[in-house]
Amino acid sequence: MANALHPAPSAVTAAPTRRAGAVGLVLGALLSGPFGGAVAALLFPRVGVDGVVTLRLTIAALVLLAVCRPRVRGYRRTDWLLIGGFGTALAGMNTLAYHAIALIPLGPVVMLEVLGPLVLSVVTTRRAASWLWAGLAAAGVALLSSTGFDRLTPAGIGFAVAAGAVWAGYIMASARVGQRFPRADGLALAMTAAAVITLPFGAGTAGITLLNPYVLAMGAAVALLSSALPYTLELLALRRMPTTTFAVLMSLVPAVAALAGYVVLHQQLTVLEGLAITLVIAANVGAVRMPPRPELGEVVA
């Protein structure tokens, strides 16, 4: 019989196996999201940016509603206002990001997007040293802007930065919804709200083209790769690894986005753009590894 000094072999190997499985889940989510964005770009010429956003959110909402079957009774007015805010953030984040992808390469878009969560991380950490990571990210952005605007249009940069700002709001809203609603009910309801918000714009842009079988199939692929699959994999991974480790791995998203842009859309990065993305990734890794500063009066072990 195993004891504390000589644990059973299964107990020794279970933890590394569990960690390896969690890393595999995160890598799956890392690949899924950016490649979903690249596939979405292939649909832009047929139904426009707003049409693709509508397809993604509507199909994702239908899938989540079918799987989660969220309860809709028993909530207060403030709960529904929170769902409305969360849904608005989802709609805005996706719309702004896809408009950016339509104008500039995918890698720089995601790099600029992650500045929103990075700033949120720096502010909530409340440590002076965390501003060093913010400075490193700023250096990456400055380097990216030095490449000129032949490929990186001001409008594309503006859409990407705005998407990052809304992303930070999405993170805060997501945390509050997770506290108020059981399981993934809040996400399903918010995704439905986002679909309703974007439907008039998508229908007005693409009309009945949204019902074309090819377009529907591609839209389903985008919804699966960009929403259903990564959200599920991330949820499973967070049950098996610390949030800090998860955040560090997810900081690699800009690099994976650049790879997806190259493979699917044949977008090539310059050396300076690659270096800029590397600086922002390093800044994200450093920021998420910084522990929050203890509140006044809190005892530090």
Side-chain angles (χ1 to χ4, degrees):
M1 180 181 295
N3 53 42
L5 295 179
H6 301 284
S10 59
V12 175
T13 58
T17 301
R18 186 181 179 88
R19 285 194 295 270
V23 170
L25 291 171
V26 175
L27 291 178
L30 272 173
L31 290 171
S32 179
F35 275 90
V39 173
L42 298 177
L43 268 180
F44 291 163
R46 300 198 63 158
V47 295
V49 173
D50 292 328
V52 176
V53 173
T54 295
L55 278 173
R56 171 185 170 176
L57 295 178
T58 301
I59 294 173
L62 291 174
V63 171
L64 286 171
L65 288 175
V67 172
C68 300
R69 298 184 180 182
R71 177 171 59 89
V72 295
R73 294 183 178 180
Y75 295 117
R76 295 174 297 179
R77 181 172 178 270
T78 53
D79 295 328
W80 288 112
L81 288 175
L82 183 58
I83 288 294
F86 192 20
T88 301
L90 270 169
M93 182 175 65
N94 283 279
T95 300
L96 292 166
Y98 278 11
H99 274 288
I101 292 172
L103 295 172
I104 62 178
L106 184 58
V109 167
V110 177
M111 187 210 84
L112 292 168
E113 270 191 283
V114 300
L115 293 178
L118 172 62
V119 170
L120 180 62
S121 176
V122 168
V123 171
T124 55
T125 299
R126 300 187 303 276
R127 286 183 180 274
S130 64
W131 290 100
L132 295 176
W133 301 116
L136 185 63
V141 173
L143 188 61
L144 186 68
S145 65
S146 71
T147 62
F149 291 113
D150 53 334
R151 283 164 26 101
L152 305 178
T153 65
I157 292 173
F159 278 126
V161 172
V166 178
W167 190 357
Y170 160 86
I171 292 172
M172 293 186 290
S174 178
R176 294 187 62 188
V177 167
Q179 295 170 354
R180 296 278 194 94
F181 293 81
R183 303 183 302 278
D185 286 12
L187 176 61
L189 294 171
M191 191 71 74
T192 303
V196 171
I197 291 170
T198 59
L199 184 58
F201 301 99
T205 300
I208 61 172
T209 307
L210 291 174
L211 302 179
N212 178 280
Y214 170 80
V215 171
L216 281 174
M218 290 287 284
V222 171
L224 176 65
L225 290 171
S226 299
S227 297
L229 187 58
Y231 291 157
T232 302
L233 293 176
E234 289 169 10
L235 179 64
L236 293 174
L238 282 168
R239 292 174 179 172
R240 304 185 182 193
M241 67 165 51
T243 54
T244 302
T245 305
F246 173 83
V248 169
L249 290 172
M250 291 304 292
S251 297
L252 298 175
V253 168
V256 178
L259 175 64
Y262 175 77
V263 172
V264 180
L265 304 175
H266 310 293
Q267 297 173 342
Q268 295 187 350
L269 293 179
T270 66
V271 174
L272 287 180
E273 288 170 348
L275 181 57
I277 289 174
T278 301
L279 289 176
V280 172
I281 290 173
N284 273 275
V285 171
V288 299
R289 290 183 65 86
M290 290 279 296
R293 189 177 65 184
E295 298 290 347
L296 185 62
E298 182 179 342
V299 177
V300 181

